Amino acid sequence: MEEGRRLQRISRTAKDPVRLRRAIVVLMSAQGQTVKDITGLMQVGEDYVRDVIHAFNEQGLDALDPKWSGGRPRTISDQVREHICLIARTSPADWKITAFSAWSLSKLADHLVKQKVTAAISRETLRRILHADKVSWKTTTTWKASTDPDFIAKMHRVLALYDTRPPTDGRYASTSSGR
């Protein structure tokens, strides 16, 4: 009787849908419903109903709790993860890559495969690894160096404009226009 009351309480208050569904299956079975009736009402398979009833008979109320697994086992070891984060913290220039100045997830993933750090890695897996280790892979804002040989002289001339000294050959050099 006590078990029946607990099952009814679970069926009314359970927040976990798996636990709720299992409790209802057991209650319906206890009320004399056939497996076919339960499958029709609950829209579950006959094997599921039989498994839940057998597990409840063997384990009691513990059979109602879902047994969540940890998911797929890791394919990338902790040592490789550390190596990935180490590479992500370096500049592409450190690897003699001059085509870009910062890693993107795709470019880093390609580089890791090319360097045989890992056989394959998706951008999402790479993103999660970097996020877990608090590594930022976003492009940093940098100043680009000019290749103009007169750059320094031109830069000083422009900066002089900010010092309220307009150039003598500038647009407003003569004040005859009244400005």
Side-chain angles (χ1 to χ4, degrees):
M1 290 300 285
E2 176 61 29
E3 210 170 49
R5 280 192 285 275
R6 287 188 66 192
L7 277 171
Q8 285 180 335
R9 193 173 333 114
I10 290 169
S11 68
R12 286 192 308 268
T13 61
K15 291 183 177 23
D16 183 4
V18 175
R19 190 166 201 235
L20 174 65
R21 185 172 51 240
R22 290 177 183 175
I24 292 171
V25 166
V26 172
L27 276 173
M28 291 175 78
S29 175
Q31 293 171 352
Q33 299 282 339
T34 65
V35 171
K36 273 202 181 299
D37 291 341
I38 297 171
T39 58
L41 290 169
M42 297 293 296
Q43 296 183 348
V44 294
E46 290 182 12
D47 288 339
Y48 175 80
V49 172
R50 287 189 186 96
D51 288 344
V52 168
I53 293 169
H54 289 301
F56 182 78
N57 290 337
E58 292 171 8
Q59 302 169 18
L61 291 169
D62 289 339
L64 301 179
D65 295 325
K67 310 293 186 275
W68 302 116
S69 298
R72 179 177 177 218
R74 285 185 169 182
T75 56
I76 300 175
S77 69
D78 288 337
Q79 184 179 9
V80 172
R81 288 170 181 264
E82 288 176 22
H83 193 64
I84 288 171
C85 292
L86 180 73
I87 291 173
R89 287 185 180 102
T90 64
S91 168
D94 297 341
W95 296 90
K96 309 286 189 268
I97 300 171
T98 57
F100 46 91
S101 61
W103 296 113
S104 68
L105 290 176
S106 298
K107 291 172 183 174
L108 182 56
D110 292 343
H111 178 72
L112 293 170
V113 171
K114 193 178 195 181
Q115 292 296 316
K116 298 186 173 138
V117 174
T118 182
I121 188 168
S122 70
R123 287 188 320 242
E124 178 61 15
T125 300
L126 183 56
R127 186 194 66 76
R128 287 180 184 197
I129 290 170
L130 297 176
H131 181 74
D133 212 33
K134 295 180 175 56
V135 176
S136 175
W137 66 92
K138 305 237 185 314
T139 307
T140 55
T141 305
T142 60
W143 290 97
K144 304 296 181 202
S146 174
T147 56
D148 183 0
D150 298 328
F151 173 75
I152 299 296
K154 291 176 182 177
M155 179 186 70
H156 286 297
R157 186 170 177 211
V158 169
L159 290 176
L161 291 173
Y162 290 103
D163 293 335
T164 64
R165 293 187 330 240
T168 55
D169 60 341
R171 180 171 178 189
Y172 299 111
S174 66
T175 57
S176 61
S177 63
R179 291 186 188 176

